[in-house]
Amino acid sequence: MAKVSFDVALFPTETADETLRLAKLAEKLGYDGVWVGDSHIIWREMYVLLGAIASQTKRVKLGSGVTHPLVRHLSLTASSFLTLSELSGSRMRIGIGIGASGPINIGVKRAARKELGEAVGQLKALIQGKPVAFDGKEMRLMFADHANVPVFMAASTSRTRELAATISDGVIHGGREDLLKEWVSTFRQSVGQGGRDPASVPVVSWVPCCVSNDAREAKESVKPHIARSGWTSFLKMVSEGKPVAEEDRLAAERISREYDFSHHMSREHSHLVPERWVDLFSAAGNPEQVRKRIDQIIACGVDVVSIVPYGDKESIIKLFAKKIIG
């Protein structure tokens, strides 16, 4: 197996103490990083959890998986991550994207790609102690000491991927795994064309995962995530004029009509997911099936495989560490 890092992304649907326990377990079992989701209306508050995890772990890198530019003021985001960096011993990463359930559930619009790009630049400047103007008011973080908190952009479209290749310190891919090799290759080329070493900008593959001795149950468990990723992936392909099978287009359109963001990535949407989407968007099944899938993902040239466990999270984290990471 090629040299990669293995992370766990936790969407904090459980109590805060349970999420903390799972993060500590991931470190104990040898995972390299932990990401925590940011959707404060439906999940526990990310910054509180990251603070608790930072204070009770020693080694794993930590990050937002992912935050968004328009729900919290960017000065608050920058200040929070600088504080977390101090608390964790410089182990923080900022994962940021245009937003989904976070802004939508409080009536805030999702960020446009231009706004996301501007936000990344402003965050970097604030973290470095530079002045930034918001609505005509110039401000800077008074305690910033030029710490390095890398910014990873979630990129689900080709244009956002190109933007990430230009300005981000890392990129998060969460789409179809069968298109991943081409996606990574195109991203690396874009980084190089921008004058940077393509290997200097890590690619994180975000993989909904369930590993169980009951393969059928495992595949059913990841459908809540696939409902969202499948819908957005196929309808973006339609909007870009790319060929999409009629059954996939119809399924995606139905999900877009019926999806409820107050139950984001929950089982309420599982019945909408076609069976054939499971292998396109996840690593789910028995240990042998999941290992084969992870090997395929690694062969695409990613630097980090971050599993998003669905089902019995503790069991998945343990079994993945034992059977796949080894």
Side-chain angles (χ1 to χ4, degrees):
M1 183 178 291
K3 177 60 177 177
V4 297
S5 298
F6 289 99
D7 292 359
V8 175
L10 299 173
F11 295 160
T13 56
E14 303 84 8
T15 59
D17 61 335
E18 177 63 8
T19 298
L20 173 59
R21 190 182 69 82
L22 291 172
K24 291 166 66 177
L25 174 66
E27 179 172 74
K28 179 181 178 181
L29 294 176
Y31 288 86
D32 300 290
V34 173
W35 304 82
V36 177
D38 184 13
S39 190
H40 67 281
I41 292 294
I42 59 173
W43 300 335
R44 278 63 173 181
E45 170 53 33
M46 176 192 70
Y47 285 116
V48 176
L49 290 168
L50 284 173
I53 296 168
S55 67
Q56 296 195 40
T57 57
K58 300 295 184 184
R59 179 185 53 78
V60 287
K61 294 180 180 179
L62 304 173
S64 51
V66 297
T67 192
H68 16 78
L70 302 181
V71 172
R72 298 177 176 88
H73 197 278
L74 284 175
S75 64
L76 174 60
T77 302
S79 179
S80 297
F81 273 96
L82 277 173
T83 305
L84 287 165
S85 183
E86 291 178 349
L87 189 62
S88 67
S90 302
R91 290 184 284 132
M92 300 309 301
R93 300 168 289 183
I94 302 174
I96 190 168
I98 62 171
S101 62
I104 288 172
N105 281 330
I106 61 171
V108 173
K109 70 180 181 73
R110 303 168 70 194
R113 183 177 57 258
K114 180 181 178 181
E115 291 175 308
L116 177 60
E118 291 172 350
V120 170
Q122 291 167 329
L123 273 175
K124 288 187 171 187
L126 286 166
I127 288 169
Q128 292 167 8
K130 298 177 181 178
V132 174
F134 293 101
D135 299 322
K137 168 66 174 176
E138 187 174 274
M139 63 190 72
R140 67 181 180 87
L141 293 182
M142 304 302 289
F143 67 95
D145 61 354
H146 306 283
N148 179 31
V149 182
V151 179
F152 284 64
M153 282 178 58
S156 58
T157 68
S158 57
R159 295 179 70 183
T160 307
R161 179 185 62 206
E162 296 303 303
L163 178 63
T166 303
I167 64 173
S168 74
D169 302 308
V171 68
I172 299 171
H173 170 275
R176 287 175 57 173
E177 305 300 343
D178 61 323
L179 303 178
L180 179 58
K181 186 172 184 177
E182 178 185 358
W183 194 99
V184 173
S185 176
T186 301
F187 177 76
R188 303 279 195 211
Q189 290 174 8
S190 297
V191 173
Q193 290 167 359
R196 294 195 287 175
D197 177 2
S200 69
V201 186
V203 176
V204 180
S205 180
W206 206 258
V207 188
C209 179
C210 183
V211 54
S212 168
N213 292 324
D214 187 332
R216 183 174 181 179
E217 178 183 328
K219 291 178 181 292
E220 187 68 26
S221 294
V222 297
K223 286 183 178 180
H225 192 114
I226 295 170
R228 171 62 177 161
S229 55
W231 152 32
T232 55
S233 177
F234 282 113
L235 290 192
K236 278 167 186 162
M237 291 177 68
V238 171
S239 69
E240 293 171 356
K242 296 177 180 178
V244 174
E246 182 73 359
E247 61 181 309
D248 293 327
R249 181 185 64 81
L250 292 173
E253 289 176 348
R254 181 185 177 189
I255 296 172
S256 72
R257 292 191 302 268
E258 299 184 22
Y259 198 89
D260 180 0
F261 278 98
S262 65
H263 296 284
H264 186 45
M265 295 186 177
S266 63
R267 291 184 179 181
E268 282 81 352
H269 308 109
S270 293
H271 69 285
L272 300 171
V273 177
E275 292 296 329
R276 80 176 209 90
W277 285 12
V278 174
D279 288 335
L280 289 178
F281 292 94
S282 72
N286 60 42
E288 182 179 349
Q289 291 170 321
V290 172
R291 182 177 180 85
K292 180 179 179 180
R293 191 70 175 125
I294 296 300
D295 284 346
Q296 291 170 341
I297 291 170
I298 292 170
C300 292
V302 304
D303 302 289
V304 182
V305 174
S306 182
I307 65 166
V308 187
Y310 280 89
D312 184 340
K313 293 183 183 179
E314 178 179 352
S315 175
I316 295 164
I317 291 169
K318 286 180 175 179
L319 200 53
F320 189 94
K322 181 179 180 181
K323 298 292 187 178
I324 288 80
I325 298 177

